[in-house]
Amino acid sequence: MMLRNLTVALLLSGVAGVASAAGPANALSSCFTFAKLPVPTTAPAIEVFVMVDQTTPFNADLKQSIADHIKPLLVSGNALSIYAFSAYTQGHYTNELVHAELDPALEPATRNDIGKTALARYDQCEAYQVRTVQTLAGNALRQAFHGDGNEISKSDVLASIQDVSRQVKASSAQRKIVLIASDMLENSSISSFYAKRVVRKINPDQETRRVADNNLTGDFGGAEIYVLGAGLIVEDTAAKGVYRDPQTMRALQQFWQRYFDGSHGKLVEFGAPALLSAIH
């Protein structure tokens, strides 16, 4: 009966969290409350922020790799936020799909001070939280990937990243990791990184000035940043893909390196398109 009640409580809170995409509420019920223990005011050890660009044509392997990269981080004491974004100009906007904070594992000294019944309730809840957040993450990613976004002709990458950077900075987590799944190709009234349906070789200095002129610099509060999908275009969905000039991709990476440096973020890896190392 106890496990059944726990299952119902956590599933109901998880569903509510996904449905209320605009709110920052925790999608997981508190294990401390469930076990009738005092609720501590501890910050998450790590918060993982995932941004999915709905205009980027990810194939099945890249979609799976996003889930694979974040799964090892969905453990007790950590938090997760997933956002979808595309183009402001066509009725689309940055949307928080899920926010979940997992309760921490109890320290040995704390466990010794807790009764057996409360401890058993907490341990069951903690284990179920981990399974539930994995389900919530999978549901949110599927929602973000729904449709290829080919009908969206614009992509406000800069404005969307600036928006989410404010949420990253505001997080109380001890460590912040941002995974941006995007082609990183701005295509708005500010600038376009395309030319004749292929990636344009941009001038990093010129584009950096445009960012400053339009007040699009963000503030990630020292977060570690990973990019997955850089340079992907619709033609990549064809069997033969599309050739990328190394100089063009180098210029794209140089621009974003400068952008994140100026936005108090640390660009750890720029996946063009895949990440070559795991996120630790």
Side-chain angles (χ1 to χ4, degrees):
M1 180 62 70
M2 184 181 93
L3 182 58
R4 179 180 178 275
N5 291 339
L6 168 63
T7 301
V8 172
L10 285 179
L11 281 178
L12 286 177
S13 80
V15 171
V18 173
S20 180
N26 187 0
L28 297 174
S29 295
S30 168
C31 289
F32 289 96
T33 300
F34 180 76
K36 298 181 180 179
L37 296 171
V39 179
T41 56
T42 55
I46 299 173
E47 182 161 3
V48 182
F49 296 85
V50 182
M51 295 184 63
V52 178
D53 183 349
Q54 295 183 302
T55 70
T56 301
F58 298 105
N59 61 28
D61 288 342
L62 287 174
K63 290 178 182 179
Q64 183 60 49
S65 74
I66 295 170
D68 291 343
H69 278 295
I70 67 173
K71 184 176 180 180
L73 299 168
L74 303 181
V75 296
S76 298
N78 289 354
L80 170 72
S81 295
I82 297 179
Y83 301 82
F85 71 95
S86 48
Y88 291 166
T89 56
Q90 294 180 251
H92 298 267
Y93 50 88
T94 305
N95 187 15
E96 184 181 67
L97 301 179
V98 68
H99 171 73
E101 297 182 18
L102 293 91
D103 288 310
L106 297 176
E107 296 292 338
T110 303
R111 296 179 66 86
N112 292 336
D113 292 335
I114 298 175
K116 289 184 178 179
T117 299
L119 188 59
R121 289 170 67 89
Y122 190 90
D123 287 344
Q124 281 190 306
C125 180
E126 181 189 355
Y128 199 80
Q129 269 196 347
V130 173
R131 296 195 296 272
T132 302
V133 78
Q134 292 174 355
T135 299
L136 292 173
N139 290 343
L141 289 176
R142 281 189 288 274
Q143 183 178 346
F145 291 135
H146 181 67
D148 294 332
N150 292 338
E151 76 283 359
I152 304 172
S153 61
K154 298 294 184 180
S155 182
D156 291 282
V157 179
L158 284 164
S160 300
I161 288 177
Q162 182 189 51
D163 273 355
V164 175
S165 77
R166 299 188 183 103
Q167 305 303 314
V168 177
K169 182 183 180 182
S171 169
S172 61
Q174 300 169 39
R175 181 184 173 202
K176 305 168 188 180
I177 297 174
V178 181
L179 173 58
I180 304 175
S182 171
D183 56 20
M184 306 304 284
L185 301 175
E186 179 76 6
N187 188 25
S188 67
S189 59
I190 303 302
S191 184
S192 177
F193 292 2
Y194 292 93
K196 298 180 180 179
R197 297 182 65 83
V198 297
V199 182
R200 177 173 68 87
K201 183 179 179 181
I202 62 172
N203 182 318
D205 293 332
Q206 184 179 72
E207 300 302 335
T208 299
R209 286 194 295 271
R210 285 177 177 165
V211 167
D213 291 344
N214 289 276
N215 297 313
L216 285 172
T217 303
D219 189 346
F220 286 92
E224 302 161 38
I225 299 170
Y226 295 79
V227 170
L228 184 153
L232 279 176
I233 57 177
V234 173
E235 282 70 12
D236 285 303
T237 58
K240 294 183 180 180
V242 63
Y243 173 72
R244 283 176 185 74
D245 176 2
Q247 292 182 335
T248 297
M249 294 305 298
R250 191 175 301 116
L252 181 66
Q253 181 172 350
Q254 287 174 349
F255 164 74
W256 283 109
Q257 179 72 65
R258 295 180 188 182
Y259 178 86
F260 292 124
D261 286 347
S263 299
H264 305 112
K266 178 184 177 182
L267 181 59
V268 180
E269 186 173 349
F270 193 78
L275 290 175
L276 300 181
S277 59
I279 301 175
H280 298 290

PDB file of all heavy atoms in Angstrom, residues 199-204 243-255 270 272:
ATOM      1  N   VAL A 199      25.248  26.871 -44.802  1.00  0.00           N
ATOM      2  CA  VAL A 199      25.819  27.688 -43.734  1.00  0.00           C
ATOM      3  C   VAL A 199      26.725  28.754 -44.325  1.00  0.00           C
ATOM      4  O   VAL A 199      27.627  28.456 -45.111  1.00  0.00           O
ATOM      5  CB  VAL A 199      26.618  26.816 -42.750  1.00  0.00           C
ATOM      6  CG1 VAL A 199      27.170  27.664 -41.611  1.00  0.00           C
ATOM      7  CG2 VAL A 199      25.748  25.687 -42.205  1.00  0.00           C
ATOM      8  N   ARG A 200      26.469  30.006 -43.944  1.00  0.00           N
ATOM      9  CA  ARG A 200      27.275  31.117 -44.445  1.00  0.00           C
ATOM     10  C   ARG A 200      28.540  31.265 -43.613  1.00  0.00           C
ATOM     11  O   ARG A 200      28.515  31.079 -42.395  1.00  0.00           O
ATOM     12  CB  ARG A 200      26.449  32.405 -44.384  1.00  0.00           C
ATOM     13  CG  ARG A 200      27.200  33.666 -44.809  1.00  0.00           C
ATOM     14  CD  ARG A 200      26.263  34.859 -44.883  1.00  0.00           C
ATOM     15  NE  ARG A 200      25.778  35.275 -43.574  1.00  0.00           N
ATOM     16  CZ  ARG A 200      26.407  36.124 -42.769  1.00  0.00           C
ATOM     17  NH1 ARG A 200      27.590  36.629 -43.126  1.00  0.00           N
ATOM     18  NH2 ARG A 200      25.880  36.476 -41.606  1.00  0.00           N
ATOM     19  N   LYS A 201      29.650  31.619 -44.255  1.00  0.00           N
ATOM     20  CA  LYS A 201      30.871  31.908 -43.523  1.00  0.00           C
ATOM     21  C   LYS A 201      30.740  33.305 -42.923  1.00  0.00           C
ATOM     22  O   LYS A 201      30.837  34.307 -43.615  1.00  0.00           O
ATOM     23  CB  LYS A 201      32.097  31.840 -44.434  1.00  0.00           C
ATOM     24  CG  LYS A 201      33.411  32.057 -43.681  1.00  0.00           C
ATOM     25  CD  LYS A 201      34.614  31.967 -44.601  1.00  0.00           C
ATOM     26  CE  LYS A 201      35.904  32.219 -43.824  1.00  0.00           C
ATOM     27  NZ  LYS A 201      37.090  32.160 -44.708  1.00  0.00           N
ATOM     28  N   ILE A 202      30.504  33.346 -41.623  1.00  0.00           N
ATOM     29  CA  ILE A 202      30.260  34.619 -40.961  1.00  0.00           C
ATOM     30  C   ILE A 202      31.577  35.275 -40.558  1.00  0.00           C
ATOM     31  O   ILE A 202      32.628  34.633 -40.488  1.00  0.00           O
ATOM     32  CB  ILE A 202      29.376  34.437 -39.720  1.00  0.00           C
ATOM     33  CG1 ILE A 202      30.079  33.539 -38.680  1.00  0.00           C
ATOM     34  CG2 ILE A 202      28.019  33.878 -40.092  1.00  0.00           C
ATOM     35  CD1 ILE A 202      29.350  33.467 -37.346  1.00  0.00           C
ATOM     36  N   ASN A 203      31.485  36.567 -40.268  1.00  0.00           N
ATOM     37  CA  ASN A 203      32.604  37.323 -39.729  1.00  0.00           C
ATOM     38  C   ASN A 203      32.379  37.436 -38.215  1.00  0.00           C
ATOM     39  O   ASN A 203      31.490  38.173 -37.778  1.00  0.00           O
ATOM     40  CB  ASN A 203      32.653  38.716 -40.369  1.00  0.00           C
ATOM     41  CG  ASN A 203      33.829  39.534 -39.874  1.00  0.00           C
ATOM     42  OD1 ASN A 203      34.150  39.547 -38.691  1.00  0.00           O
ATOM     43  ND2 ASN A 203      34.465  40.251 -40.791  1.00  0.00           N
ATOM     44  N   PRO A 204      33.146  36.703 -37.399  1.00  0.00           N
ATOM     45  CA  PRO A 204      32.896  36.717 -35.949  1.00  0.00           C
ATOM     46  C   PRO A 204      32.922  38.113 -35.333  1.00  0.00           C
ATOM     47  O   PRO A 204      32.114  38.413 -34.444  1.00  0.00           O
ATOM     48  CB  PRO A 204      34.025  35.840 -35.405  1.00  0.00           C
ATOM     49  CG  PRO A 204      34.367  34.915 -36.531  1.00  0.00           C
ATOM     50  CD  PRO A 204      34.211  35.753 -37.755  1.00  0.00           C
ATOM     51  N   TYR A 243      28.240  18.954 -47.365  1.00  0.00           N
ATOM     52  CA  TYR A 243      29.633  19.249 -47.028  1.00  0.00           C
ATOM     53  C   TYR A 243      29.712  20.547 -46.243  1.00  0.00           C
ATOM     54  O   TYR A 243      29.009  21.518 -46.540  1.00  0.00           O
ATOM     55  CB  TYR A 243      30.472  19.384 -48.307  1.00  0.00           C
ATOM     56  CG  TYR A 243      31.881  19.853 -48.043  1.00  0.00           C
ATOM     57  CD1 TYR A 243      32.808  19.006 -47.447  1.00  0.00           C
ATOM     58  CD2 TYR A 243      32.276  21.152 -48.372  1.00  0.00           C
ATOM     59  CE1 TYR A 243      34.102  19.427 -47.196  1.00  0.00           C
ATOM     60  CE2 TYR A 243      33.568  21.585 -48.122  1.00  0.00           C
ATOM     61  CZ  TYR A 243      34.477  20.720 -47.530  1.00  0.00           C
ATOM     62  OH  TYR A 243      35.750  21.153 -47.279  1.00  0.00           O
ATOM     63  N   ARG A 244      30.586  20.580 -45.234  1.00  0.00           N
ATOM     64  CA  ARG A 244      30.821  21.782 -44.453  1.00  0.00           C
ATOM     65  C   ARG A 244      32.266  22.222 -44.618  1.00  0.00           C
ATOM     66  O   ARG A 244      33.181  21.461 -44.322  1.00  0.00           O
ATOM     67  CB  ARG A 244      30.535  21.522 -42.966  1.00  0.00           C
ATOM     68  CG  ARG A 244      29.082  21.481 -42.624  1.00  0.00           C
ATOM     69  CD  ARG A 244      28.874  21.127 -41.166  1.00  0.00           C
ATOM     70  NE  ARG A 244      27.474  20.973 -40.879  1.00  0.00           N
ATOM     71  CZ  ARG A 244      26.746  19.933 -41.259  1.00  0.00           C
ATOM     72  NH1 ARG A 244      27.318  18.949 -41.924  1.00  0.00           N
ATOM     73  NH2 ARG A 244      25.473  19.858 -40.989  1.00  0.00           N
ATOM     74  N   ASP A 245      32.431  23.428 -45.054  1.00  0.00           N
ATOM     75  CA  ASP A 245      33.759  24.013 -45.169  1.00  0.00           C
ATOM     76  C   ASP A 245      34.320  24.186 -43.756  1.00  0.00           C
ATOM     77  O   ASP A 245      33.704  24.858 -42.920  1.00  0.00           O
ATOM     78  CB  ASP A 245      33.638  25.361 -45.884  1.00  0.00           C
ATOM     79  CG  ASP A 245      34.962  26.094 -45.972  1.00  0.00           C
ATOM     80  OD1 ASP A 245      35.981  25.534 -45.519  1.00  0.00           O
ATOM     81  OD2 ASP A 245      34.970  27.223 -46.475  1.00  0.00           O
ATOM     82  N   PRO A 246      35.481  23.599 -43.442  1.00  0.00           N
ATOM     83  CA  PRO A 246      36.049  23.730 -42.095  1.00  0.00           C
ATOM     84  C   PRO A 246      36.223  25.182 -41.657  1.00  0.00           C
ATOM     85  O   PRO A 246      36.046  25.499 -40.472  1.00  0.00           O
ATOM     86  CB  PRO A 246      37.395  23.011 -42.206  1.00  0.00           C
ATOM     87  CG  PRO A 246      37.200  22.022 -43.309  1.00  0.00           C
ATOM     88  CD  PRO A 246      36.297  22.701 -44.292  1.00  0.00           C
ATOM     89  N   GLN A 247      36.562  26.061 -42.592  1.00  0.00           N
ATOM     90  CA  GLN A 247      36.732  27.470 -42.234  1.00  0.00           C
ATOM     91  C   GLN A 247      35.397  28.096 -41.821  1.00  0.00           C
ATOM     92  O   GLN A 247      35.351  28.931 -40.909  1.00  0.00           O
ATOM     93  CB  GLN A 247      37.340  28.236 -43.402  1.00  0.00           C
ATOM     94  CG  GLN A 247      38.788  27.845 -43.704  1.00  0.00           C
ATOM     95  CD  GLN A 247      39.370  28.666 -44.837  1.00  0.00           C
ATOM     96  OE1 GLN A 247      38.654  29.182 -45.695  1.00  0.00           O
ATOM     97  NE2 GLN A 247      40.692  28.792 -44.854  1.00  0.00           N
ATOM     98  N   THR A 248      34.331  27.694 -42.490  1.00  0.00           N
ATOM     99  CA  THR A 248      33.005  28.200 -42.153  1.00  0.00           C
ATOM    100  C   THR A 248      32.605  27.768 -40.750  1.00  0.00           C
ATOM    101  O   THR A 248      32.106  28.561 -39.948  1.00  0.00           O
ATOM    102  CB  THR A 248      31.966  27.700 -43.174  1.00  0.00           C
ATOM    103  OG1 THR A 248      32.288  28.222 -44.470  1.00  0.00           O
ATOM    104  CG2 THR A 248      30.559  28.139 -42.790  1.00  0.00           C
ATOM    105  N   MET A 249      32.856  26.495 -40.440  1.00  0.00           N
ATOM    106  CA  MET A 249      32.510  25.985 -39.119  1.00  0.00           C
ATOM    107  C   MET A 249      33.416  26.576 -38.041  1.00  0.00           C
ATOM    108  O   MET A 249      32.981  26.824 -36.914  1.00  0.00           O
ATOM    109  CB  MET A 249      32.602  24.464 -39.112  1.00  0.00           C
ATOM    110  CG  MET A 249      31.557  23.783 -40.002  1.00  0.00           C
ATOM    111  SD  MET A 249      29.856  24.307 -39.589  1.00  0.00           S
ATOM    112  CE  MET A 249      29.736  23.728 -37.902  1.00  0.00           C
ATOM    113  N   ARG A 250      34.669  26.825 -38.393  1.00  0.00           N
ATOM    114  CA  ARG A 250      35.592  27.439 -37.435  1.00  0.00           C
ATOM    115  C   ARG A 250      35.130  28.853 -37.082  1.00  0.00           C
ATOM    116  O   ARG A 250      35.182  29.273 -35.924  1.00  0.00           O
ATOM    117  CB  ARG A 250      37.006  27.456 -38.007  1.00  0.00           C
ATOM    118  CG  ARG A 250      38.079  27.830 -36.985  1.00  0.00           C
ATOM    119  CD  ARG A 250      39.472  27.712 -37.573  1.00  0.00           C
ATOM    120  NE  ARG A 250      39.742  26.350 -38.042  1.00  0.00           N
ATOM    121  CZ  ARG A 250      39.957  26.033 -39.316  1.00  0.00           C
ATOM    122  NH1 ARG A 250      39.960  26.963 -40.245  1.00  0.00           N
ATOM    123  NH2 ARG A 250      40.188  24.775 -39.645  1.00  0.00           N
ATOM    124  N   ALA A 251      34.670  29.598 -38.091  1.00  0.00           N
ATOM    125  CA  ALA A 251      34.178  30.953 -37.846  1.00  0.00           C
ATOM    126  C   ALA A 251      32.928  30.926 -36.969  1.00  0.00           C
ATOM    127  O   ALA A 251      32.756  31.771 -36.085  1.00  0.00           O
ATOM    128  CB  ALA A 251      33.882  31.650 -39.170  1.00  0.00           C
ATOM    129  N   LEU A 252      32.060  29.932 -37.200  1.00  0.00           N
ATOM    130  CA  LEU A 252      30.855  29.798 -36.388  1.00  0.00           C
ATOM    131  C   LEU A 252      31.218  29.522 -34.936  1.00  0.00           C
ATOM    132  O   LEU A 252      30.675  30.134 -34.011  1.00  0.00           O
ATOM    133  CB  LEU A 252      29.974  28.675 -36.945  1.00  0.00           C
ATOM    134  CG  LEU A 252      28.650  28.432 -36.216  1.00  0.00           C
ATOM    135  CD1 LEU A 252      27.718  29.626 -36.368  1.00  0.00           C
ATOM    136  CD2 LEU A 252      27.983  27.147 -36.738  1.00  0.00           C
ATOM    137  N   GLN A 253      32.175  28.630 -34.729  1.00  0.00           N
ATOM    138  CA  GLN A 253      32.596  28.307 -33.364  1.00  0.00           C
ATOM    139  C   GLN A 253      33.281  29.500 -32.696  1.00  0.00           C
ATOM    140  O   GLN A 253      33.069  29.759 -31.504  1.00  0.00           O
ATOM    141  CB  GLN A 253      33.541  27.100 -33.367  1.00  0.00           C
ATOM    142  CG  GLN A 253      33.996  26.704 -31.969  1.00  0.00           C
ATOM    143  CD  GLN A 253      34.764  25.402 -31.947  1.00  0.00           C
ATOM    144  OE1 GLN A 253      34.822  24.683 -32.945  1.00  0.00           O
ATOM    145  NE2 GLN A 253      35.365  25.075 -30.812  1.00  0.00           N
ATOM    146  N   GLN A 254      34.085  30.236 -33.452  1.00  0.00           N
ATOM    147  CA  GLN A 254      34.756  31.408 -32.886  1.00  0.00           C
ATOM    148  C   GLN A 254      33.738  32.438 -32.397  1.00  0.00           C
ATOM    149  O   GLN A 254      33.909  33.035 -31.327  1.00  0.00           O
ATOM    150  CB  GLN A 254      35.683  32.029 -33.931  1.00  0.00           C
ATOM    151  CG  GLN A 254      36.941  31.219 -34.196  1.00  0.00           C
ATOM    152  CD  GLN A 254      37.762  31.795 -35.340  1.00  0.00           C
ATOM    153  OE1 GLN A 254      37.307  32.690 -36.072  1.00  0.00           O
ATOM    154  NE2 GLN A 254      38.978  31.292 -35.515  1.00  0.00           N
ATOM    155  N   PHE A 255      32.697  32.643 -33.193  1.00  0.00           N
ATOM    156  CA  PHE A 255      31.668  33.597 -32.781  1.00  0.00           C
ATOM    157  C   PHE A 255      31.029  33.165 -31.474  1.00  0.00           C
ATOM    158  O   PHE A 255      30.911  33.960 -30.531  1.00  0.00           O
ATOM    159  CB  PHE A 255      30.584  33.752 -33.852  1.00  0.00           C
ATOM    160  CG  PHE A 255      29.334  34.397 -33.322  1.00  0.00           C
ATOM    161  CD1 PHE A 255      29.307  35.761 -33.046  1.00  0.00           C
ATOM    162  CD2 PHE A 255      28.196  33.642 -33.041  1.00  0.00           C
ATOM    163  CE1 PHE A 255      28.166  36.364 -32.519  1.00  0.00           C
ATOM    164  CE2 PHE A 255      27.055  34.229 -32.515  1.00  0.00           C
ATOM    165  CZ  PHE A 255      27.040  35.593 -32.252  1.00  0.00           C
ATOM    166  N   PHE A 270      32.012  22.159 -28.485  1.00  0.00           N
ATOM    167  CA  PHE A 270      31.164  22.653 -29.557  1.00  0.00           C
ATOM    168  C   PHE A 270      30.949  21.526 -30.543  1.00  0.00           C
ATOM    169  O   PHE A 270      31.761  21.296 -31.432  1.00  0.00           O
ATOM    170  CB  PHE A 270      31.834  23.864 -30.227  1.00  0.00           C
ATOM    171  CG  PHE A 270      30.950  24.673 -31.138  1.00  0.00           C
ATOM    172  CD1 PHE A 270      30.023  25.565 -30.624  1.00  0.00           C
ATOM    173  CD2 PHE A 270      31.058  24.538 -32.516  1.00  0.00           C
ATOM    174  CE1 PHE A 270      29.222  26.322 -31.471  1.00  0.00           C
ATOM    175  CE2 PHE A 270      30.265  25.298 -33.361  1.00  0.00           C
ATOM    176  CZ  PHE A 270      29.337  26.188 -32.844  1.00  0.00           C
ATOM    177  N   ALA A 272      29.840  19.579 -33.608  1.00  0.00           N
ATOM    178  CA  ALA A 272      29.450  19.947 -34.965  1.00  0.00           C
ATOM    179  C   ALA A 272      29.382  18.709 -35.876  1.00  0.00           C
ATOM    180  O   ALA A 272      30.256  18.524 -36.717  1.00  0.00           O
ATOM    181  CB  ALA A 272      30.426  20.984 -35.527  1.00  0.00           C
TER     182      ALA A 272
END
